[in-house]
Amino acid sequence: MTSREQLLASTFVSLADTLVADFDVIDFLHTLATRSVELLNVDAAGIMLADGKGGLHVMASSTEEARLLELYELQNNEGPCLDCYRSGRPVARDDQSAMRQSWPAFTKELQGLGFHSAQALPMRLRDQTIGALNLFRLQPGQLNQADLSLGQAMADVATVGLLQERAIAASELLATQLQTALASRVQLEQAKGVLAQRAGLPMDEAFQVMRAYARSHNRRLSDVAAQIIDGTLDDNHVRTSPNPKPRAQPQT
């Protein structure tokens, strides 16, 4: 088995294993985003999920640029992820001219951050769509069919995982998890900013440092974030934890 096949097998196991007692939805979604970059011909990925009222929220991203693009989509009500969530179908455009015609403001922002292609895959189960997976490329053009099929399979498995029942009905579980995840996400962004300022780190690196510390100490990200914010966790101690391999950043 090749290293890519091993990573692929590990990814599907991770995306299907949501019934553990300490299931962490934020870490789960970041796994989907980072594995999308590692397994598909894309340079960044992000995930939006809907809350109980149907409002979309940025929940995970592989880079700071991806997070900013998704926030821009929400703020301007324009972009492939929104169209994908609303239609429940994959969304892409053949070239930049078609992208500018569909999403003029978003395409300008996309290019300003160094990307030249964006498309989105629905996170859905049958007729229920709970969000979308955004895929960004530095090069123009869509993903090939093999990568699209793999990306959709990953999104589908992740969706099934999120919708699995524990002790309550799947819809009630999802609503609870997403509301908790949204609150955790706000706290994580605050902690990321605090750590970045205190330690003089880029925002992306600050998050990776927090995540590495949480994983190496078998702790939840939300608990680590809370201690960083209130100052009870020493910044230097957090930074000494093993860091994941650095990711290439888009060139503007």
Side-chain angles (χ1 to χ4, degrees), residues 178-244:
L178 294 187
Q179 290 298 332
T180 301
L182 180 57
S184 297
R185 183 74 228 179
V186 173
Q187 186 178 51
L188 282 172
E189 289 300 323
Q190 292 174 341
K192 183 169 69 174
V194 169
L195 184 59
Q197 183 178 33
R198 288 177 183 168
L201 297 173
M203 294 288 279
D204 275 348
E205 189 176 341
F207 176 80
Q208 292 304 319
V209 166
M210 280 197 301
R211 191 183 188 201
Y213 178 87
R215 287 192 157 196
S216 65
H217 290 76
N218 196 28
R219 299 187 58 194
R220 294 176 65 87
L221 271 170
S222 56
D223 294 336
V224 172
Q227 285 195 289
I228 289 174
I229 292 171
D230 66 22
T232 58
L233 185 59
D234 182 77
D235 299 341
N236 290 328
H237 187 44
V238 176
R239 294 184 67 187
T240 58
S241 295
N243 278 319

Side-chain angles (χ1 to χ4, degrees), residues 160-177:
V160 171
L162 288 170
L163 290 172
Q164 287 187 87
E165 293 187 1
R166 292 184 180 178
I168 55 177
S171 59
E172 295 174 333
L173 171 62
L174 180 63
T176 300
Q177 288 179 337

Side-chain angles (χ1 to χ4, degrees), residues 4-17:
R4 187 176 189 276
E5 289 171 336
Q6 290 173 333
L7 179 62
L8 186 58
S10 171
T11 297
F12 278 101
V13 169
S14 297
L15 295 178
D17 187 17

Side-chain angles (χ1 to χ4, degrees), residues 74-113:
L74 291 177
Q75 292 166 356
N76 292 273
N77 196 32
E78 176 189 302
C81 198
L82 299 181
D83 290 355
C84 178
Y85 171 69
R86 290 163 180 163
S87 68
R89 301 177 61 84
V91 170
R93 297 293 182 269
D94 292 330
D95 52 40
Q96 291 188 24
S97 177
M99 289 176 61
R100 285 192 294 270
Q101 185 174 359
S102 296
W103 317 299
F106 170 79
T107 302
K108 182 178 179 180
E109 186 72 11
L110 178 84
Q111 293 172 332
L113 288 172

Side-chain angles (χ1 to χ4, degrees), residues 22-168:
D22 60 346
F23 174 60
D24 187 335
V25 67
I26 293 293
D27 192 72
F28 173 83
L29 294 171
H30 274 281
T31 295
L32 175 59
T34 55
R35 294 294 175 86
S36 295
V37 175
E38 293 170 347
L39 289 167
L40 309 177
N41 185 23
V42 301
D43 300 286
I47 299 165
M48 289 188 195
L49 289 184
D51 59 25
K53 297 181 180 180
L56 283 175
H57 302 273
V58 176
M59 300 304 299
S61 53
S62 65
T63 67
E64 182 69 8
E65 288 83 1
R67 187 182 75 89
L68 292 174
L69 277 171
E70 293 193 305
L71 288 174
Y72 189 87
E73 285 191 72
L74 291 177
Q75 292 166 356
N76 292 273
N77 196 32
E78 176 189 302
C81 198
L82 299 181
D83 290 355
C84 178
Y85 171 69
R86 290 163 180 163
S87 68
R89 301 177 61 84
V91 170
R93 297 293 182 269
D94 292 330
D95 52 40
Q96 291 188 24
S97 177
M99 289 176 61
R100 285 192 294 270
Q101 185 174 359
S102 296
W103 317 299
F106 170 79
T107 302
K108 182 178 179 180
E109 186 72 11
L110 178 84
Q111 293 172 332
L113 288 172
F115 297 103
H116 293 87
S117 174
Q119 55 196 107
L121 301 175
M123 295 186 67
R124 68 187 178 199
L125 178 62
R126 299 184 180 90
D127 60 350
Q128 182 178 7
T129 303
I130 65 171
L133 170 64
N134 256 340
L135 303 171
F136 306 106
R137 304 181 69 219
L138 298 177
Q139 300 300 319
Q142 300 182 36
L143 289 175
N144 60 37
Q145 189 56 51
D147 273 0
L148 280 175
S149 297
L150 175 55
Q152 188 62 67
M154 291 166 59
D156 288 347
V157 170
T159 303
V160 171
L162 288 170
L163 290 172
Q164 287 187 87
E165 293 187 1
R166 292 184 180 178
I168 55 177

